[in-house]
Amino acid sequence: MARPHSQDALAALRDFVTRIDALDPHATALGELTVRLDGEEVRLTLRAPVAEALVEALRVYHDPRDRGRCDHCGGGRLDDNFRCLDCGRFSGVFGQLLAERAAGYTEPEQLPGPDRQD
């Protein structure tokens, strides 16, 4: 039977704190961090290195579903094809290419190449 997401989240947080604390177990304690999910609670001593690592981990995390903001409406919900789920337009260079192709865009004539001498 699969564990509930709340147990996974609490276990991951507990493991993170344990892993960082092991590197400097005598660091200054800043306080206690208590997290409660679905009736289960975990209390962890929050030492300075753990707090710093937690802040860094949260700030650098990038959700793979986040594809940036729409160039047209500023919405933050772009699908896999960079189409904005808010305004329906395509965003970015890829979106511009799709819009040009869909509008019947034709490529410019081929530029002549340099004369070849064999």
Side-chain angles (χ1 to χ4, degrees):
M1 186 167 127
R3 293 182 354 171
H5 293 297
S6 59
Q7 286 181 355
D8 285 343
L10 292 175
L13 184 58
R14 188 181 306 111
D15 293 347
F16 181 85
V17 170
T18 300
R19 190 172 67 245
I20 304 301
D21 259 348
L23 300 173
D24 192 0
H26 302 293
T28 304
L30 301 177
E32 186 176 84
L33 177 66
T34 303
V35 179
R36 185 176 315 137
L37 291 171
D38 291 338
E40 188 175 344
E41 183 176 284
V42 63
R43 291 176 186 246
L44 304 163
T45 300
L46 191 62
R47 300 184 196 288
V50 173
E52 291 170 13
L54 186 57
V55 166
E56 182 179 349
L58 292 171
R59 287 193 174 143
V60 301
Y61 175 76
H62 177 81
D63 191 314
R65 298 170 298 171
D66 181 358
R67 294 172 190 87
R69 306 208 66 75
C70 175
D71 294 338
H72 307 286
C73 74
R77 300 181 323 129
L78 301 178
D79 69 10
D80 290 339
N81 295 314
F82 297 97
R83 183 176 168 268
C84 180
L85 298 175
D86 296 321
C87 72
R89 295 176 70 183
F90 288 97
S91 191
V93 174
F94 180 70
Q96 179 181 348
L97 177 66
L98 287 176
E100 288 173 354
R101 296 291 176 169
Y105 175 79
T106 56
E107 292 189 30
E109 292 182 30
Q110 186 87 10
L111 295 175
D115 290 341
R116 297 183 77 181
Q117 294 184 8
D118 294 319

